[in-house]
Amino acid sequence: RSARTDNTQLGGELLLKASGICIKGFTDSKIDFALSKGEIVALAGPVGSGKEALALALAGQEKISAGTITSERASFPDIGFVPNDRHVSGYIGMLGVRENVSVGGLDILSGKSGFIKLKKEISHVGKLVAQTNVISSSLEKPVSQLSGGNQQKVVFARSLCRDPDIIVALSPTRGVDVGAKEQLYALLRSLASEGRGIVVVSDEEDEIEQLANRVVIVFEGKVVDELVGDYGMKDLIMHMEGVA
C-alpha cells in the first residue's frame, strides 16, 4: 500500500476557481472552490450532501444557476470526466477499446473532412491504453468482455483523450479488484505529478486518505469543513462524522 504523495504547487497556478456557485438541488447554497496544479482534492460527505452535484458542476456536466467558474489560463481548461457508474455512462459495451477511448476526443482525431484519421487514432489510443494499464488482447475487443478493472481503465483513458488540465472522477475505483485499485491510484498520483488538478468524489475513507492532499467536506450543499496536508484516518472520520 503506497502513501499519498503531495504534488501541490503552493502558490502555483489555479486551474479552476468557482466563486459563489449554486449547485443543482441546493438553491440557497453558495460555494467557493479552487483547484491548483498538482493537487488531488477529495469531495466528501454523507450521501445526498451535494458532493456529487458539486463535482458535476465543476466538470461542466451540470449547469450552475449562480456564480462563476473560471481559470487563470486564457481559455477555460479542458476537463476529463469519469462518471459515477461506468456501466450506465462510462463506456459502450459492444464497441471495442479503440472506439470507446476515441469518443473522448473525436475532434482532435479527425481531419478537415470530419473523418477519423485511423493511423493517428490507433497511435493516440495505444499511448492512452499503455498509460492507464488497460489489459486487452486487442484494441478492437468489445469493452463488455473486459474485467471490471480494465473497463474502468478504459473510462479513464477516454477521459484523458484530449490531454486535459483537470480530471474529475466520481467513485474512481467502484467495483474493481484490489490490483486495479492500486493501479488507478498510481495513475491519479502520476497525473497530479505532471501538474494536472484532480477532483475525486468518494464514499471510502480509505481511498480518500490514500489519495487526497486536501479533503473538502460538503453538507447540505455547502462546504462546511476542510482537511489539508498531514491528516490521518482518525481526523478524516471525525470530520466526516461531524456533519452526519
Side-chain angles (χ1 to χ4, degrees):
R1 165 186 168 131
S2 31
R4 66 178 177 270
T5 53
D6 192 348
N7 297 290
T8 309
Q9 296 171 17
L10 293 172
E13 184 182 6
L14 277 185
L15 294 178
L16 191 78
K17 185 178 181 182
S19 304
I21 66 169
C22 186
I23 57 174
K24 188 176 180 182
F26 298 93
T27 49
D28 61 341
S29 69
K30 293 284 186 290
I31 292 177
D32 295 329
F33 176 88
L35 180 69
S36 300
K37 286 184 76 171
E39 192 175 28
I40 302 180
V41 178
L43 304 181
V47 174
S49 65
K51 62 182 186 285
E52 289 194 354
L54 174 56
L56 290 169
L58 296 173
Q61 300 288 316
E62 291 277 7
K63 284 186 178 175
I64 52 172
S65 51
T68 58
I69 298 176
T70 57
S71 168
E72 286 186 1
R73 302 205 164 177
S75 58
F76 197 75
D78 258 326
I79 298 176
F81 180 62
V82 176
N84 193 28
D85 188 335
R86 64 178 174 272
H87 303 296
V88 174
S89 50
Y91 64 85
I92 304 156
M94 63 184 181
L95 295 183
V97 173
R98 173 180 57 82
E99 290 171 302
N100 267 284
V101 174
S102 34
V103 161
L106 292 175
D107 55 334
I108 62 167
L109 297 171
S110 303
K112 287 178 182 174
S113 60
F115 292 105
I116 291 278
K117 293 181 170 178
L118 191 60
K119 204 171 175 182
K120 185 177 182 181
E121 180 192 26
I122 289 169
S123 168
H124 190 58
V125 170
K127 286 174 192 164
L128 292 170
V129 161
Q131 184 182 3
T132 53
N133 283 304
V134 176
I135 297 166
S136 175
S137 55
S138 158
L139 289 182
E140 306 310 314
K141 187 170 184 172
V143 173
S144 58
Q145 293 178 16
L146 302 180
S147 68
N150 282 304
Q151 289 172 353
Q152 188 70 347
K153 290 176 199 170
V154 167
V155 177
F156 267 90
R158 184 187 70 177
S159 77
L160 292 169
C161 199
R162 297 179 55 84
D163 194 22
D165 300 315
I166 296 166
I167 295 287
V168 176
L170 279 65
S171 304
T173 63
R174 176 177 285 170
V176 310
D177 64 35
V178 175
K181 235 179 205 192
E182 286 300 329
Q183 288 180 326
L184 289 169
Y185 292 164
L187 172 66
L188 287 167
R189 292 187 194 108
S190 168
L191 293 169
S193 75
E194 294 167 3
R196 301 181 210 243
I198 313 290
V199 178
V200 168
V201 179
S202 178
D203 295 320
E204 298 179 37
E205 287 101 342
D206 185 54
E207 178 159 280
I208 292 170
E209 197 230 356
Q210 285 200 58
L211 283 174
N213 315 125
R214 182 159 62 98
V215 184
V216 171
I217 310 282
V218 183
F219 184 61
E220 294 183 345
K222 297 180 178 71
V223 171
V224 296
D225 207 348
E226 195 171 278
L227 277 165
V228 186
D230 193 24
Y231 66 88
M233 180 65 85
K234 192 175 175 184
D235 306 311
L236 180 58
I237 292 169
M238 280 174 65
H239 279 70
M240 287 179 72
E241 287 182 350
V243 300

